[in-house]
Amino acid sequence: MAEPPLSQLLPEDAIATGVEAADWRAAIRAAGELLAATGATTDDYIGEMHAAVEEYGPYIVIAPGLALAHSRPSPAVLRTGLSWAGLKSPVSFGHSTNDPVRLVIGLAAVDHDGHSSALSRLARLLSDPGRRERLTGATGAAEIHHTISEYETSEDT
Amino acid sequence: MRILAVCGMGIGTSIMLKGNAEKAARDLGLDADVEVADIGTARGAATTADVVLTSGELAAEIGDVGIPVVVVDNFVDGDEVRRKLSTAIGR
């Protein structure tokens, strides 16, 4: 089965900026609420993402300022999807090199590899300093979604 | 060679790492397969791998598996992955 493109797994409605979060739990909750609001998960997935950090530590902070909040495939995951919560003020996750976090990407997956090309593409996009700056500096969901769609088109052509 | 990318659940971080590790291997001229594993299966999967890539916290949990365990701080930084992989395998 063909994998949905990144711009579809991360719809504009799953993107928020200027999110107020007092701590890492609130930041993950914000990303989880976007997943639930767009039909990727139920609200139970938020607790599962919290539990993953409690179990494995803050390793989900995969790059300076960036957390990839996720848990395992579970009944709380309705379909594979991503969300984007840009925080108004950075919060600490307790990571030794990558704190504080300004952006939480939420990931819900129904299996282990149905989202791998989209996620690899997101990694490439975020590893490009110019594009990342444009994304983190964007003030609205439409601008972020547009930048991602544009990048996807540029890679595909 | 076989490169093993390890994360807690095997669906997120390790996949982010996989793309960069594949690119790093190509840049270093290696004929490499990159596989992903979660922390629960990492020690077993490491027995047939040549090098492990993971985060600092999970590296401590994996412990000594007889092959280099490379700690990556920034999973989306291709330069860091290439530099550390190169050092670990002496290329």
Side-chain angles (χ1 to χ4, degrees):
Chain A
M1 195 177 80
E3 196 185 310
L6 175 58
S7 54
Q8 191 179 318
L9 289 176
L10 178 61
E12 193 179 320
D13 289 347
I15 300 172
T17 58
V19 172
E20 307 226 18
D23 54 22
W24 70 265
R25 285 180 178 278
I28 287 180
R29 170 169 292 280
E33 283 171 351
L34 289 163
L35 287 171
T38 49
T41 67
T42 68
D43 286 340
D44 289 346
Y45 193 65
I46 296 168
E48 292 173 14
M49 291 194 290
H50 285 153
V53 174
E54 283 159 359
E55 187 173 355
Y56 301 115
Y59 88 94
I60 61 161
V61 187
I62 58 170
L66 172 66
L68 180 69
H70 62 294
S71 185
R72 294 185 179 80
S74 82
V77 179
L78 307 175
R79 63 166 174 79
T80 294
L82 288 159
S83 68
W84 176 293
L87 305 181
K88 189 172 178 192
S89 310
V91 300
S92 170
F93 274 62
H95 192 282
S96 57
T97 56
N98 295 337
D99 265 342
V101 169
R102 289 185 169 276
L103 170 63
V104 182
I105 306 272
L107 165 68
V110 292
D111 55 27
H112 278 256
D113 51 14
H115 54 288
S116 55
S117 345
L119 209 54
S120 297
R121 177 165 277 170
L122 186 61
R124 285 195 296 279
L125 173 58
L126 294 170
S127 65
D128 177 331
R131 285 196 164 94
R132 180 155 174 205
E133 200 165 315
R134 196 171 140 201
L135 285 167
T136 48
T139 50
E143 186 183 348
I144 291 168
H145 193 260
H146 179 73
T147 302
I148 291 169
S149 303
E150 207 177 58
Y151 178 69
E152 194 151 60
T153 310
S154 75
E155 273 201 339
D156 285 342
T157 48
Chain B
M1 73 182 309
R2 285 187 67 207
I3 299 170
L4 187 67
V6 176
C7 76
M9 287 152 286
I11 68 156
T13 319
S14 53
I15 288 171
M16 287 262 188
L17 193 52
K18 184 175 191 269
N20 267 325
E22 284 168 345
K23 186 171 182 304
R26 275 198 305 276
D27 290 350
L28 294 170
L30 302 171
D31 181 16
D33 286 324
V34 183
E35 293 180 15
V36 303
D38 62 37
I39 187 71
T41 57
R43 285 186 65 88
T47 58
T48 54
D50 300 294
V51 59
V52 173
L53 300 178
T54 191
S55 71
E57 287 139 346
L58 297 179
E61 207 164 315
I62 293 167
D64 183 5
V65 284
I67 56 172
V69 176
V70 178
V71 172
V72 177
D73 293 319
N74 183 340
F75 283 45
V76 303
D77 181 348
D79 291 340
E80 181 189 335
V81 174
R82 186 174 59 243
R83 190 164 32 84
K84 290 184 171 173
L85 183 61
S86 169
T87 305
I89 61 165
R91 287 278 289 259

